[in-house]
Amino acid sequence: MAYDSFTILKSTAVPLPIENVDTDQIIPARFLKATERKGFGDNLFRDWRYQSDNTPKADFVLNDPTYKGKILVGGKNFGSGSSREHAAWAIYDYGFRCVISSFFADIFRGNCLNIGVLPVQVSATFLERIFAEVYANPDTELEVNLSEQTVTLLATGEKESFEINSYKKSNMMNGFDDIDYLLNIKTDIQEFEKSLPL
């Protein structure tokens, strides 16, 4: 399933400075009833966003109109817990295209990269700078440049580099998942197949 290509993202950010956010908090298990990637955003952080009677919790950041944007800034060890792909689906479906943290669980990182959400791992020091700037001015914009592998606080010019697998980077920039990538090189595969001895 193709998704929008990712090159440069300029956006305000939503701060969630909580460590060890696990996938059951991102999307509770009771909502894992579909196999399509659509509709999960409605239940992103469901138990943190809503009371038991489905009224929004005013003190949760996604219910605070002060903060908005396509970048979610999370605490250390974001996406730990079970390997459910639905956690990445919920983040994408809600409208986030990038999650910034000082550490990601490996499986969650991979699930994000497979569907078009860019996990950007920065130093703990730079993460704290991002939180400080966003809290001081919610209109603060970040620039995430995938080609250069940098994230920049545009208000101050502070910048840090991040690492990403070259194959996943190429796919993100082209809007490919793994199947799209194979379909894109279908002709090359067929030509290689013809070159093999019978």
Side-chain angles (χ1 to χ4, degrees):
M1 177 180 171
Y3 47 78
D4 295 337
S5 60
F6 193 120
T7 52
I8 296 175
L9 175 64
K10 290 182 182 179
S11 176
T12 51
V14 176
L16 187 68
I18 301 173
E19 294 189 358
N20 305 311
V21 173
D22 68 39
T23 52
D24 194 53
Q25 292 158 335
I26 296 171
I27 183 75
R30 64 186 182 278
F31 297 110
L32 310 185
K33 297 177 180 177
T35 54
E36 287 189 298
R37 298 176 184 172
K38 299 176 182 178
F40 290 98
D42 292 340
N43 294 306
L44 177 66
F45 297 116
R46 179 73 190 198
D47 295 335
W48 289 352
R49 281 169 71 189
Y50 296 101
Q51 308 282 0
S52 57
D53 63 359
N54 293 327
T55 57
K57 295 181 180 179
D59 61 348
F60 186 62
V61 68
L62 294 192
N63 297 326
D64 185 347
T66 304
Y67 301 103
K68 56 190 178 298
K70 295 186 175 183
I71 299 173
L72 177 64
V73 185
K76 181 181 179 181
N77 196 27
F78 194 93
S80 58
S82 76
S83 60
R84 67 190 65 167
E85 294 175 289
H86 305 72
W89 297 356
I91 287 171
Y92 183 91
D93 192 57
Y94 185 83
F96 291 119
R97 292 301 313 278
C98 175
V99 181
I100 298 175
S101 176
S102 59
F103 184 79
F104 290 97
D106 286 342
I107 294 175
F108 174 80
R109 181 203 305 271
N111 287 339
C112 283
L113 288 168
N114 286 339
I115 62 144
V117 174
L118 180 63
V120 171
Q121 186 166 316
V122 297
S123 67
T125 301
F126 193 57
L127 184 67
E128 288 306 313
R129 287 292 304 126
I130 293 172
F131 279 129
E133 288 294 324
V134 171
Y135 280 122
N137 179 10
D139 292 327
T140 291
E141 282 193 317
L142 299 169
E143 179 186 276
V144 180
N145 187 317
L146 180 54
S147 177
E148 296 183 2
Q149 296 178 212
T150 58
V151 55
T152 306
L153 274 164
L154 293 179
T156 66
E158 293 167 271
K159 178 187 295 189
E160 191 166 289
S161 299
F162 62 89
E163 296 298 319
I164 183 172
N165 173 280
S166 60
Y167 166 70
K168 293 298 186 183
K169 176 180 177 178
S170 176
N171 276 0
M172 288 280 294
M173 294 185 71
N174 286 290
F176 292 163
D177 64 14
D178 292 332
I179 301 300
D180 297 315
Y181 170 77
L182 290 174
L183 291 173
N184 187 58
I185 61 169
K186 181 179 178 181
T187 301
D188 294 337
I189 294 172
Q190 290 172 331
E191 289 302 314
F192 176 74
E193 188 178 32
K194 289 177 185 176
S195 72
L196 296 175
L198 296 175

